Amino acid sequence: MNPTEWFTEQVPAAGTAFSLKIKNKLHEEQSEFQFLEMYETETFGNLMVIDGCTMVSTRDNFFYHEMMSHPALYTHPNPKTVWIIGGGDCGTLREVLKHPLVEHAVQIDIDERVTRLAEIYFPELCESNGDPRAELKFIDGIKWVKDAAPNSVDIIIVDSTDPVGPAEGLFSAAFYRDCAACLTENGMVIQQSESALLHLKLIGEMRDAMSSAGFGHLQTLFFPQCLYPSGWWSATIASKADLSKFREHDSANKPFETVYYNVDIHKASLAQPEFFKKAMALK
Ligand code: SAM
């Protein structure tokens, strides 16, 4: 392939790669934390790449952003305060703010440049940044959670890059213990948990770390995301409270539009594949 016409993300350990045909390179820079690239693609709109990994495209980001937000927000009985750790493209923040119960949503990304570039290349994802309930912070999410007071947040959404570089500590038992300490009674963490096909060991380790931090209830949910390795992604919810039910009636009557999420998709995303149940020793 001609590298000037295609962007390719290789996953050498899996022997796979995903490519998008590129029209133009729009921007590149080395920020204080990571290498940021923006492309215009032939068929997927704009594309954000961080340290060589695809993050967001105009065409398919709705799968990820909707599934990182709505299942958790419709599982919590009364989500008033939500923190998004990472999420600098602002797409998760936009989805969270669609919920009328939410009174305060804070996005905490370590790298302000990601948000500044998203404002230019993904303005639709940033359209709720001016909502009076929204607050943007540019600091390390690990420190933010460590310094937080007990009982200060209902839902923590960890919308981070892969567990390397600045995001590595976001997948640790120490981080989950700090999350457990600042969550309210029915509080929960939801974190992107990579691909069950390619990263099963990582998901197992992440679930073990969440359990060891005191979260007795875990729920991994599955959804498509063609931009990410294998095209099949997951997120894992951890809580001290029961996760077996969600606000099904509210979800079925959601007062906002989505592209992918609805009550049936929510239910379907909770179904656990046979190999996953076996690997995670689930009943
Ligand atoms: N959906 C994407 C994915 O899974 O590939 C994640 C997108 S979002 C752009 C990831 C963000 O996590 C980046 O903007 C990065 O700056 C942020 N990030 C990484 N480590 C962080 C940390 N320790 N604290 C806060 N933000 C962090």
Side-chain angles (χ1 to χ4, degrees), residues 46-60:
N46 286 351
L47 171 70
M48 178 191 289
V49 176
I50 297 185
D51 286 339
C53 297
T54 54
M55 290 288 127
V56 178
S57 86
T58 310
R59 183 169 174 188
D60 82 337

Side-chain angles (χ1 to χ4, degrees), residues 34 55 64 86 89 108-110 114 140-141 159-161 166-167 228:
Q34 47 214 351
M55 290 288 127
Y64 178 87
D89 56 70
I108 305 108
D109 197 295
I110 200 167
V114 174
D140 188 341
D159 178 0
S160 72
T161 39
Y228 296 164

Side-chain angles (χ1 to χ4, degrees), residues 33-34 36 48 50 53-56 64-65 68 84-90 92 108-112 114-115 139-143 159-162 164-170 192 194 228 233:
F33 303 99
Q34 47 214 351
L36 311 172
M48 178 191 289
I50 297 185
C53 297
T54 54
M55 290 288 127
V56 178
Y64 178 87
H65 288 138
M68 288 295 288
I84 299 151
I85 308 293
D89 56 70
C90 305
T92 300
I108 305 108
D109 197 295
I110 200 167
D111 193 345
E112 180 169 0
V114 174
T115 299
I139 58 164
D140 188 341
I142 298 169
K143 182 169 164 29
D159 178 0
S160 72
T161 39
D162 298 337
V164 285
E168 198 175 346
L170 294 171
Q192 71 93 358
E194 313 274 308
Y228 296 164
W233 217 242

Side-chain angles (χ1 to χ4, degrees), residues 68-123:
M68 288 295 288
S69 322
H70 305 310
L73 277 128
Y74 277 126
T75 301
H76 194 285
N78 188 12
K80 289 189 171 142
T81 305
V82 179
W83 295 346
I84 299 151
I85 308 293
D89 56 70
C90 305
T92 300
L93 179 65
R94 183 184 71 169
E95 295 305 313
V96 165
L97 289 166
K98 288 180 178 176
H99 288 255
L101 288 175
V102 171
E103 293 172 358
H104 189 202
V106 191
Q107 177 187 290
I108 305 108
D109 197 295
I110 200 167
D111 193 345
E112 180 169 0
R113 290 302 301 153
V114 174
T115 299
R116 297 300 162 231
L117 293 173
E119 285 166 350
I120 299 168
Y121 298 108
F122 296 90

